[in-house]
Amino acid sequence: FEKGQTLTGTDAVFYQHEFLESSLMDSGMGARAAHLETLGQQGIPYAPGYEAQLYHPTVIHQFPAWFSPAAKAAAGVH
């Protein structure tokens, strides 16, 4: 992204997630608890395929082995 460009969509959600999650961990929360707390604050249910709400579909297409079957299905990876 170029300076001054606005992040939107899953790009914005991903970076917001990472920022909040790391802030919680810096405050002493464990990684799993921080991840779940962040998902809750973002209104993303921790359910099969939730990753598709955090990652741009092109990332899921490029690295399908990293994602659950439900996330791949949500991103259209067959």
Side-chain angles (χ1 to χ4, degrees), residues 17 21 24 31-41 44 46 50:
H17 179 88
E21 186 179 54
L24 292 171
R32 180 162 174 76
H35 180 65
L36 295 174
E37 174 67 23
T38 301
L39 288 174
Q41 288 188 29
I44 300 172
Y46 185 66
Y50 81 92

Side-chain angles (χ1 to χ4, degrees), residues 12-65:
V13 172
F14 175 79
Y15 285 108
Q16 290 167 350
H17 179 88
E18 293 300 308
F19 178 76
L20 179 55
E21 186 179 54
S22 67
S23 295
L24 292 171
M25 290 187 328
D26 286 347
S27 297
M29 188 177 281
R32 180 162 174 76
H35 180 65
L36 295 174
E37 174 67 23
T38 301
L39 288 174
Q41 288 188 29
Q42 290 181 294
I44 300 172
Y46 185 66
Y50 81 92
E51 307 99 319
Q53 295 181 58
L54 290 176
Y55 293 90
H56 194 277
T58 58
V59 175
I60 298 172
H61 280 269
Q62 188 172 359
F63 302 102

